[in-house]
Amino acid sequence: MNFPILSAIIFIPLIGAFFIFVTKGEQKNVERNSKYVAIFTSLSNFFLSILLWYFFDNSTSDFQFIEEKKWMSGFINFQLGIDGISMLFILLTTFIAPLCIFSGIHSIKFKIKEFLIAILVMETLMLGVFCSLNLVIFYLFFEGGLIPMFLIIGIWGGPKRVYSAFKFFLFTLLGSVLMLVAIISIYWITGTTDVIRLLDGRIPQEFQYLLWLAFFSSFAVKLPMWPVHTWLPDAHVEAPTAGSVILAAILLKMAGYGFIRFSLGLFPVASDYFTPLIFVLSIIAIIYTSLVALMQDDMKKLIAYSSVAHMGFVTIGIFSLTKQGLEGSIIQMMSHGLISAALFLCVGVVYDRYHSRMISSYGGLVNIMPKYALVFMIFTLAALGLPGTSGFVGEFLVLVGALQKNILVAVLASFGVILVAAYMLWLYRRVIFGKITNPEIKEITDLNKTEIYIFASLVFLILFFGVYPKPLFNTIDISISNLINNYQADLSFHLVKINN
Amino acid sequence: MEYAIIFLPLISSFISGFFGKKLGDKYCQIFACLLVLISGILSLFIFYEVLTQDYSSNKLIFNWISSGDFHVNWSIVVDPLTSVMLVVVSLISSIIHFYSIGYMSHDPHKTRFMAYLSLFTFAMLTLVTADNFLQLFFGWEGVGLCSYLLIGFWYKKPSANSAAIKAFVVNRVGDFGFAIGIFLIFFFYGTVNYHEVFQQTPLFIQKQVIFLGIEVNLITLICLLLFLGAMGKSAQIFLHTWLPDAMEGPTPVSALIHAATMVTAGVFLVVKCSPLFEYSQIALNVVATVGMMTAFFAATVALVQNDIKKIVAYSTCSQLGYMFFAAGVGAYHVAIFHLFTHAFFKALLFLGSGCVIHSFDDEQDIRSMGGVWKKIPYTYTLMVIGTLALTGFPFLSGYYSKDAIIEFAYLKGSNIGYYAAAVGIFTALLTAIYSWRLVFKTFHGKYNNKKNSLNSIHESSSTMLIPSCLLAVGAIVTGILFKEIFIGQDTQFWNNSILFLYQNHHDHVPIWLLVITPLIVILAIPIAYYLFVKNEKILKNLILKHQTLYNFLINKWYFDDLYNFIFVEPIKKIGLFFWKEGDVNIIDRYGPDGLSKLVKTVSDKAVNFQSGYLYHYAFVMLIGFSILLTYLILY
């Protein structure tokens, strides 16, 4: 196939954004037209990515749909290509983007045109991250994502939005500067920034440690890992619903993707060396943030902290370097993408109606919003990893993988599972069950049609992949095997060199 | 046929859940009952076929998870052990579906209730028909979820909500062990399929592993971890605290989930894993000890409780203890036999209590009852039958199964067996006393209710009484009918579904052992009547004299307060500390906020340099120049 499908998928949202940008006329018409354009582009992009999945060949671990354009010759070429791992992230992104647009259309009250542009630009940048096969291109997309997110929080956010946006920017920029330095040094050392060549060739061992740390500092902030996680709760709290959804569902996953693709792929020796560090930080993240989540009185903050805990499972899985652990962590990222998106949308539903994120403002919602109570229940259960939901498959495999590496890690991480149950059920109980104590919320209406469709699609996917996750496994299976084989080969290659 | 048994309840749940409003309460209830009833009848067929033709089957539905060498399937397995569980689950479930029509007749959420009940039945059936540990875990958590939903069914009551969360979280503690057990099994065996695991087990007998710094035998470790899960689900001592609280749920739920089926899942797990447990004497001893302790502990607490449902709940706890110590002394088939009979009489007792509660218009305290046996004769008869069966009155079902447990424990010949037999006999006495206390306080003596007049006490509707009568029949005859099949001397029924490494001999039972328990049980009736009806003063004096002991018992050995003190409060405090101190005061203060403050201070200072006075600049220039000069001269 010669059609540049990856470029198409990446740039269709940008083209949509451009069309919205140039619409002019009466305020009302502009808003209506931009809504239609945004919905149309994001949905068509979703279908295009499904098409991509259909044509995707999951019997090979080579990169597919490769595109290459000369840019600054030798140094930066515009290279795109995907393997099984990127495939799933692309699907997740193109699926979540329309949801954000639907939710934004409902809840954003001013500058809607600009908002839609920001979301579409964001989508382009995120897709670029998962498709790029050149370190510099990757970096541009990876850090470019900061800007629209910064704007989304800073313009459409809550009362403390400036502080949150600043914190978000400061944390993430700090890490990424180091990554830029590392990318430049990789070019100096190897003479290329082409990911395929870098994955084949071997970066000398003595450089790996520092380079790994530089990449780590960027990914650890984005993921986020303890102790650089504190920007996340603030950013979530102040961001509008759509912003939170993108942040939790996709932005965090870019770091997980980065760990798998670059940290493991490029620096196997350093990855092996630093695995204990990752395990310790992840375990702290799981237990520490679960305990903190237990005490939150702000719904969004609680879910944000639970995201940190869930991403802790992801890093454990990735660095367990076992088939189950790695596949589990990818499934966990997919399912967390769906579940956290769903939970933030759930908070958005009541926030749109009553404008409070405080748990204590609610209580007894089941009396007036039975449909809402049902979907919220399903998402709560998925978040606590009930078997039959996608959350279980990922978490369980991660732990199976972790135990093969280190029993203590698996035991401590499993302990987190108890805490998750406690804080999620407690949240649910305080918001949904009980009698209505706050007379003002009696007027709240149940889910409307659009919301039902959005939630139904999420529920369907979460349950479907919980019972039949095979399509996901088929897509990533060979790529993961290949990754592990390469990793082991590299490791033994370097070890042999040391012994000689 | 197997598919129908499992999926009909799911369909029923789906229909009542999503189309309940359209169908209307009545049709929805009838529909749900019919589907579950069909499932129940089909399980009877299967049971019959297993009994007569050694039927067994293993049906693969489809592949669930497949990652590297980790393969798990959705499947339906039928073997003798499963067939017994199928009958217990689907039959009692269908009876309770019918009962619920009557019991919930005044509730506005009938369809939701039916949906949950059917969903529970589905989850429980997937649990018992699994062919691997992971599907078992799916059913395990699934029944936990339904239990959570049903305990919190009356969501307006804060106590019901707390009880629901408590049930789920305490179970999660058990599941934590269970899950690690599964991880270990996969790590060492490379599979989680029962058959393959059990086949390989003899190879691992000598295998030692280091677990958290302690060297232990692999099989013992796995068994103990699995047993932790079983303790959670079956409310054994230390993890039992959720079960009495679970009585906040509607009574049919207590009967189905917290007496007949879900709580017995732990026993089922231990019996199913007999090919593992048989190779670890330590694990078996732990099982037996925990079982004994629970049986005794729960019985003592049941002596002084005043809530009718809580008494029955503690009694369930205690009977589950019996089942575990039966399994612990290697008499797995007797454990299942007791599970089987217990399902009938305990469900009957709960349904009877439900009728009593209905008659008294939602009164649950037995101190506010009494003297009504003539007003509600059917309910009274049902309760008496249930009590007789529970206490092990000769020739009712409990007599066969409970006495068999004590006999097998005694015949085991080991120390732990003798202890178990002794505790079993003593607990049987306690059981008789608290059970008859319940009956006498509820139905005899003076009428004590202030809310309702004696005349307003009424018999329950026939939709409630008829299902209860079916259970009563079960409580009377299951013992005689199935004794030979389940625990007879040369029974071939169990086939390969249970492994007995050591043959259990059951021939030379001493006469005194055969007689002692029934004797105690029969004697207990007049004693209880005297103490609780004729002459209550003796008891009052006794309580006054032993106030501390009484407080100890009525506060359930202070388990709840202790856990609150050790776990709940500290965890809250630590969480708050991490948040306020860790995140806000350390990370943020020295991280982003510190950085921005630093930038500000530095720039504030730097601003001072631009004073605008020429002589300041000249002075600085001079200093710089002289430093540069010095440097050049020196080096």
Side-chain angles (χ1 to χ4, degrees), chain B residues 187-246:
Chain B
F187 184 42
F188 287 100
Y189 291 78
T191 172
V192 289
N193 181 289
Y194 289 142
H195 184 68
E196 293 165 18
V197 169
F198 295 157
Q199 234 173 8
Q200 288 180 46
T201 300
L203 304 176
F204 288 100
I205 297 173
Q206 302 297 337
K207 176 99 182 162
Q208 300 282 326
V209 288
I210 305 223
F211 183 74
L212 306 182
I214 307 161
E215 193 181 346
V216 274
N217 180 279
L218 175 66
I219 294 176
T220 305
L221 178 66
I222 290 175
C223 288
L224 288 179
L225 287 168
L226 294 180
F227 182 58
L228 189 63
M231 279 171 72
K233 192 108 294 180
S234 296
Q236 293 300 288
I237 193 164
F238 305 122
L239 293 180
H240 66 278
T241 52
W242 64 273
L243 185 61
D245 289 18

Side-chain angles (χ1 to χ4, degrees), chain B residues 346-367:
Chain B
K346 193 48 69 64
L348 171 64
L349 276 173
F350 267 117
L351 296 194
S353 311
C355 293
V356 172
I357 294 168
H358 242 229
S359 304
F360 278 92
D361 208 16
D362 293 335
E363 179 59 66
Q364 300 202 2
D365 192 325
I366 53 169
R367 286 169 301 187

Side-chain angles (χ1 to χ4, degrees), chain A residues 53 56 164 168 212 221 301 334 337 385 389 392 409 456 467 473 475:
Chain A
W53 198 21
F56 181 81
S164 300
F168 165 70
W212 188 92
V221 170
K301 249 189 181 168
M334 293 301 122
T389 64
F392 171 73
V409 169
V467 178
F473 283 113
T475 310

Side-chain angles (χ1 to χ4, degrees), chain A residues 76-139:
Chain A
I76 312 167
N77 288 333
F78 188 77
Q79 292 162 305
L80 302 177
I82 56 168
D83 66 353
I85 302 170
S86 355
M87 186 66 239
L88 291 186
F89 287 96
I90 292 173
L91 285 170
L92 180 69
T93 311
T94 53
F95 174 72
I96 294 291
L99 297 188
C100 292
I101 288 171
F102 278 118
S103 132
I105 286 171
H106 274 280
S107 53
I108 299 292
K109 294 287 179 255
F110 65 100
K111 291 194 180 166
I112 184 122
K113 180 178 147 186
E114 287 77 4
F115 179 79
L116 294 171
I117 294 176
I119 298 265
L120 287 174
V121 171
M122 190 82 209
E123 188 183 356
T124 290
L125 294 169
M126 292 182 302
L127 288 167
V129 167
F130 299 126
C131 295
S132 48
L133 281 184
N134 184 299
L135 281 178
V136 179
I137 302 292
F138 168 79
Y139 182 78

Side-chain angles (χ1 to χ4, degrees), chain B residues 374-486:
Chain B
K374 277 186 193 148
K375 296 286 289 185
I376 42 175
Y378 294 113
T379 309
Y380 176 64
T381 322
L382 290 170
M383 284 299 275
V384 169
I385 293 174
T387 305
L388 288 171
L390 165 68
T391 52
F393 194 82
F395 313 117
L396 273 75
S397 60
Y399 165 71
Y400 294 100
S401 54
K402 195 190 286 181
D403 281 17
I405 289 178
I406 296 167
E407 285 153 22
F408 271 94
Y410 178 81
L411 289 173
K412 177 83 180 165
S414 65
N415 278 338
I416 201 131
Y418 293 132
Y419 285 131
V423 172
I425 294 169
F426 186 64
T427 306
L429 171 70
L430 295 179
T431 309
I433 293 176
Y434 70 70
S435 306
W436 288 111
R437 170 173 176 263
L438 189 155
V439 171
F440 292 139
K441 284 256 190 186
T442 311
F443 294 100
H444 294 268
K446 277 202 300 276
Y447 182 77
N448 282 326
N449 198 307
K450 298 197 176 73
K451 260 194 336 209
N452 307 300
S453 66
L454 183 58
N455 289 326
S456 71
I457 303 300
H458 53 88
E459 193 67 86
S460 302
S461 64
S462 54
T463 39
M464 288 166 70
L465 290 175
I466 294 170
S468 314
C469 291
L470 290 176
L471 285 176
V473 174
I476 297 169
V477 301
T478 45
I480 305 178
L481 280 184
F482 294 99
K483 179 178 185 288
E484 278 309 309
I485 300 168
F486 284 3

